[in-house]
Amino acid sequence: MNKEELKAIIPHRNSMLLIDEATKISEDTSVGKKTIVGDEWFLDGHFPGNPIVPGVILCEMMAQTSAVIIAEKSAVSTPYFTSIEKARFKEMVRPGDTFEIECKLTRNRGMFYFIEGKGTVNGKLCVSANFSFALIERE
């Protein structure tokens, strides 16, 4: 899915649509990517002269990638974050890097979906986290 296709399944728009593309590769797995070009809004003050992508932004990128797993279920619902657990930041993501994301659905309980996510640059683990979200029907 490109950015326009992603807009059909998640409510994010510029400047909060943070991934360049995402694909569902199996029933419970999706992959995505974002090339950090250096002019992104979240780099402006993080950190001047030494820009690195904030951890919370990396987690949001993983969450947006995971939405592809349940795209057909979210046609009439919106996914909302309900938790982030065990977030671990191993390497920095910088301008010029292509951040590659893999998300796996580990379980589903009613409207709640539980995901394991990891993000890498050049095969090197940068971040991992477990998170959940709820699908809330749109009004």
Side-chain angles (χ1 to χ4, degrees):
M1 296 181 153
N2 62 30
K3 283 192 174 199
E4 289 307 310
E5 293 167 318
L6 288 165
K7 288 178 183 179
I9 63 167
I10 58 177
H12 302 74
R13 298 297 181 263
N14 293 335
S15 62
M16 277 306 293
L17 183 55
L18 299 173
I19 56 176
D20 295 330
E21 61 184 69
T23 304
K24 183 175 179 178
I25 61 170
S26 73
E27 182 73 18
D28 62 358
T29 306
S30 62
V31 294
K33 73 166 96 170
K34 168 68 176 170
T35 299
I36 309 300
V37 295
D39 63 354
E40 291 85 359
W41 60 270
F42 48 79
L43 294 175
D44 285 345
H46 198 269
F47 300 103
N50 184 28
I52 37 178
V53 179
V56 68
I57 297 295
L58 298 174
C59 289
E60 179 64 29
M61 289 175 185
M62 290 190 299
Q64 290 181 17
T65 299
S66 70
V68 175
I69 297 170
I70 58 162
E72 63 278 354
K73 295 176 183 75
S74 63
V76 296
S77 301
T78 300
Y80 289 95
F81 251 135
T82 55
S83 72
I84 300 174
E85 299 176 342
K86 297 182 181 176
R88 301 288 185 263
F89 304 97
K90 304 285 187 180
E91 296 288 333
M92 292 178 265
V93 179
R94 301 175 177 278
D97 290 343
T98 297
F99 182 61
E100 297 178 332
I101 305 151
E102 182 176 337
C103 294
K104 182 169 179 58
L105 177 68
T106 58
R107 69 184 198 274
N108 163 237
R109 179 171 286 158
M111 64 190 231
F112 294 96
Y113 291 80
F114 300 86
I115 305 289
E116 289 179 353
K118 66 179 181 177
T120 61
V121 172
N122 295 324
K124 203 169 196 182
L125 183 65
C126 297
V127 59
S128 62
N130 297 336
F131 52 94
S132 64
F133 56 92
L135 277 181
I136 307 296
E137 201 168 310
R138 292 186 194 115
E139 296 179 9

